[in-house]
Amino acid sequence: MTAQASNNFAIAKMVVQNLQASDAKGGKGKSWLVAIAQALGGIMGDKAAKLVELTGKMDKLAAANPEDQKAAKEFQKTMMEFQAQSQLFSMISNASSTAIKSIGEGMTTVARKQ
């Protein structure tokens, strides 16, 4: 399974779980747009947690002995991973925002035409 297919599956699974959880509470249920937004927010939260983890790792490595070449190499490696994860977070954030906006505008257009 490709990474994109895996992400799509994860989003779909989270949407279904959000909708089921809402129905289980005995409420009216929430809209699928809210469920999609919450699923995307969950994925962004996972990426944000990874960024925090990497920041902590870099802090520890930065506090190491300045002459420790192994720590310097590990710091550089961690910093590059942080930058990559940061870019992924940014891409997911932009895609999420665009998707929610597009779906919302589409729903508005359909509602206006009825």
Side-chain angles (χ1 to χ4, degrees):
M1 181 182 297
T2 66
Q4 183 61 41
S6 178
N7 283 341
N8 290 346
F9 179 76
I11 291 169
K13 183 177 176 183
M14 291 174 92
V15 168
V16 170
Q17 288 172 341
N18 285 342
L19 289 171
Q20 288 173 339
S22 177
D23 288 343
K25 291 179 184 173
K28 285 182 161 181
K30 63 180 108 171
S31 79
W32 56 270
L33 182 60
V34 171
I36 290 171
Q38 288 176 336
L40 293 170
I43 291 170
M44 288 178 59
D46 292 343
K47 290 294 179 194
K50 180 67 175 178
L51 291 173
V52 169
E53 174 190 325
L54 291 170
T55 300
K57 187 176 178 182
M58 285 190 300
D59 285 346
K60 287 179 186 173
L61 290 167
N65 182 353
E67 295 178 16
D68 184 356
Q69 291 182 359
K70 185 177 178 183
K73 288 179 182 180
E74 187 64 26
F75 179 87
Q76 198 63 30
K77 180 181 169 184
T78 304
M79 188 173 66
M80 290 296 106
E81 183 181 357
F82 177 86
Q83 288 179 347
Q85 290 292 337
S86 180
Q87 285 298 318
L88 286 172
F89 179 84
S90 177
M91 290 184 326
I92 292 169
S93 177
N94 290 336
S96 299
S97 177
T98 300
I100 296 301
K101 182 178 178 185
S102 297
I103 292 169
E105 288 175 354
M107 291 171 65
T108 300
T109 300
V110 168
R112 198 176 315 131
K113 290 183 178 184
Q114 290 183 355

